[in-house]
Amino acid sequence: MIREIREGLEGVVAASTRLSLVDGAAGRLVFAGYLAEEIAPRASFEEMAHLLWTGRLPSVAELETLTSALASRRRLPAATVLLMREAARHRTPAMDALRMAVSTLSLGRAENDQEDAWTLVAAFPAIIGGYWRLRQGLEPLDVRDDLSHAEHFLHQIFNVETSAGGVGRERARALETYLNTVSDHGFNASTFAARVIASTHSDLVSAITGAIGALKGPLHGGAPGPALEMVFEIGKPERAEAVILDKLKRGERLMGFGHRVYKVRDPRADILAAAAERFYTTEGDRELYQLALFVEKTALRLLAKERPGRPLHTNVEFYTALLLHGLGLPPELFTPTFAAGRVLGWSAHCLEQLHQGRLIRPESVYNGPTEQRFQALSQRAS
Ligand code: ACO
């Protein structure tokens, strides 16, 4: 019996969710009832966490409880730091180190869904920042419980006390807007991977370890590094046309453009573009920012001309690269930082799947032979 195959599960609806609405035709993203552009630049990451985990924004008392629940779970187990040291000695890429470190968070703890969600979200900044410092030959910093989640993320990388001017409100706010913006996005590949694992009633640490592996690929969360590389490669506006055209003629994909669901501009690109605009007015390399705007415009024009009929627009990754670069993050930390925001959505999806979901188990159409006869090893042609 031949059944229809939907390669890449495109257009297949696998479950319902209350977490986010991704309207690909209208370019609209809604987080638990709130338009992304309404909530992402205004809410704290902790408020966003309460919204995704419980379905509503917190009261003052609830926010205090959640803030201290996260702050008190920032310290990493000794074995996690040991593994990070070993990974740094081997110069392991940061996403692989993050995946390995996260899987150790089960050590010495009994499985508990909500507890696991808090611990995972709280631990990402210490893992990412601590690992990056080890790679630079520096020691990881002690965790602090007096900083917000976004401030703590910057502190774990840059050290608030020693960096010029400390973390800075503008920087923390820009990072917080970014983390909120990418915190959830329907059934993207990494979230789906996490839900598949959770659907077997496995635990959150396992599910999120798998999700990190899915996010790493350049077709998903691995695009911002290459997107920024393209801007650097172009170097000056007058080279944009030639470099981009050359890439397209060679059949290359432009990183930071195109999306499986959005057939119009990714609304997250606008939120991050506004955050980048705010940020680069006061700090950072304004010239690079202007160049990136020009590169985006040129890329859109050339994509329309060279790939006619395909709706290729700017996606979230283009402005991710620009914003995170402005915050002083190295390209190797772009995808781990994406993971630090998305771990919130992953964990909320796992909780939703565990409470209401069904085992995810699609089928395949077999297209190999069926009539082979077994031959003893000695009788097989060499
Ligand atoms: N540059 C040039 N051409 C492109 C691009 C691009 N960025 N994206 C798609 N195309 C072309 C493809 O070559 C293909 O052409 P063809 O029909 O002649 O073969 C056509 O558009 C359709 O491409 P698909 O791969 O079928 O589209 P899909 O929905 O699978 O792709 C994806 C979505 C993977 C994001 C794709 O647009 C891409 O590779 N973009 C670049 C990588 C990127 O920015 N990834 C981040 C996505 S956002 C996120 O995951 C957080």
Side-chain angles (χ1 to χ4, degrees):
M1 183 180 56
I2 304 284
R3 279 164 296 170
E4 190 199 3
I5 305 176
R6 303 290 282 272
E7 293 288 355
L9 298 183
E10 185 161 2
V12 173
V13 177
S16 58
T17 178
R18 64 157 179 81
L19 297 167
S20 58
L21 163 70
V22 182
D23 182 344
R28 190 166 61 115
L29 171 61
V30 177
F31 294 118
Y34 298 86
L35 267 179
E37 55 269 36
E38 159 90 13
I39 194 163
R42 293 192 177 89
S44 67
F45 183 77
E46 285 83 350
E47 285 178 292
M48 199 73 186
H50 195 280
L51 176 68
L52 291 189
W53 282 333
T54 70
R56 56 178 183 77
L57 286 171
S59 65
V60 174
E62 286 168 333
L63 185 58
E64 263 173 32
T65 306
L66 182 79
T67 301
S68 61
L70 289 177
S72 63
R73 285 169 177 79
R74 288 177 177 161
R75 191 172 307 285
L76 302 177
T80 307
V81 180
L82 211 60
L83 182 137
M84 285 157 51
R85 282 187 198 285
E86 197 53 20
R89 208 170 61 77
H90 289 276
R91 305 200 65 71
T92 306
M95 273 304 271
D96 295 323
L98 176 65
R99 170 179 45 76
M100 291 189 279
V102 162
S103 71
T104 64
L105 294 177
S106 315
L107 271 170
R109 298 177 41 243
E111 280 176 26
N112 175 313
D113 304 337
Q114 185 58 66
E115 176 66 36
D116 287 350
W118 284 335
T119 302
L120 282 154
V121 168
F124 268 53
I127 296 175
I128 296 165
Y131 183 65
W132 189 247
R133 292 181 70 82
L134 286 166
R135 283 285 303 273
Q136 310 310 304
L138 301 167
E139 273 303 294
L141 298 165
D142 281 341
V143 296
R144 293 197 16 194
D145 61 10
D146 59 333
L147 300 173
S148 73
H149 190 77
E151 287 168 342
H152 192 244
F153 187 100
L154 291 172
H155 167 65
Q156 287 291 294
I157 299 171
F158 299 118
N159 192 357
V160 191
E161 259 74 51
T162 58
S163 66
V167 158
R169 283 210 59 76
E170 267 312 307
R171 285 176 172 255
R173 192 57 227 145
L175 179 69
E176 199 156 48
T177 299
Y178 171 73
L179 296 175
N180 289 345
T181 302
V182 300
S183 62
D184 194 44
H185 202 238
F187 265 37
N188 60 87
S190 56
T191 299
F192 186 60
R195 279 192 82 133
V196 169
I197 296 171
S199 83
T200 69
H201 289 188
S202 180
D203 66 296
L204 261 73
V205 177
S206 301
I208 282 165
T209 303
I212 295 168
L215 186 71
K216 175 183 148 185
L219 298 191
H220 189 10
L228 188 67
E229 269 164 33
M230 181 175 76
V231 177
F232 280 130
E233 184 191 342
I234 290 170
K236 13 187 189 173
E238 51 276 27
R239 276 174 42 81
E241 174 109 9
V243 173
I244 294 171
L245 206 54
D246 186 48
K247 284 182 189 298
L248 291 175
K249 296 269 189 227
R250 276 186 281 136
E252 277 183 37
R253 288 174 181 223
L254 303 182
M255 294 292 142
F257 296 88
H259 198 274
R260 171 62 67 80
V261 180
Y262 290 121
K263 301 306 171 204
V264 294
R265 190 177 164 86
D266 182 336
R268 299 169 299 175
D270 285 333
I271 302 170
L272 298 186
E277 166 66 35
R278 261 195 315 276
F279 182 77
Y280 279 96
T281 340
T282 52
E283 284 190 59
D285 183 350
R286 184 88 193 155
E287 214 174 300
L288 177 78
Y289 174 67
Q290 297 293 1
L291 173 65
L293 294 187
F294 187 77
V295 167
E296 183 198 11
K297 241 201 299 179
T298 310
L300 290 173
R301 179 167 50 76
L302 293 176
L303 279 168
K305 187 160 156 251
E306 298 295 317
R307 302 278 189 276
R310 295 176 193 83
L312 296 170
H313 302 274
T314 315
N315 67 43
V316 65
E317 303 286 44
F318 190 79
Y319 281 98
T320 291
L322 205 55
L323 188 62
L324 297 188
H325 172 75
L327 290 173
L329 294 173
E332 204 183 331
L333 290 191
F334 291 175
T335 311
T337 306
F338 186 165
R342 185 56 59 83
V343 64
L344 173 56
W346 291 335
S347 64
H349 273 277
C350 289
L351 296 174
E352 192 175 63
Q353 180 69 38
L354 285 167
H355 295 140
Q356 71 178 46
R358 191 152 185 259
L359 173 69
I360 299 173
R361 204 303 187 189
E363 291 181 45
S364 53
V365 170
Y366 176 69
N367 64 3
T370 54
E371 315 259 307
Q372 303 273 56
R373 302 300 305 257
F374 184 80
Q375 277 188 318
L377 183 57
S378 59
Q379 287 162 9
R380 283 176 228 158
S382 53

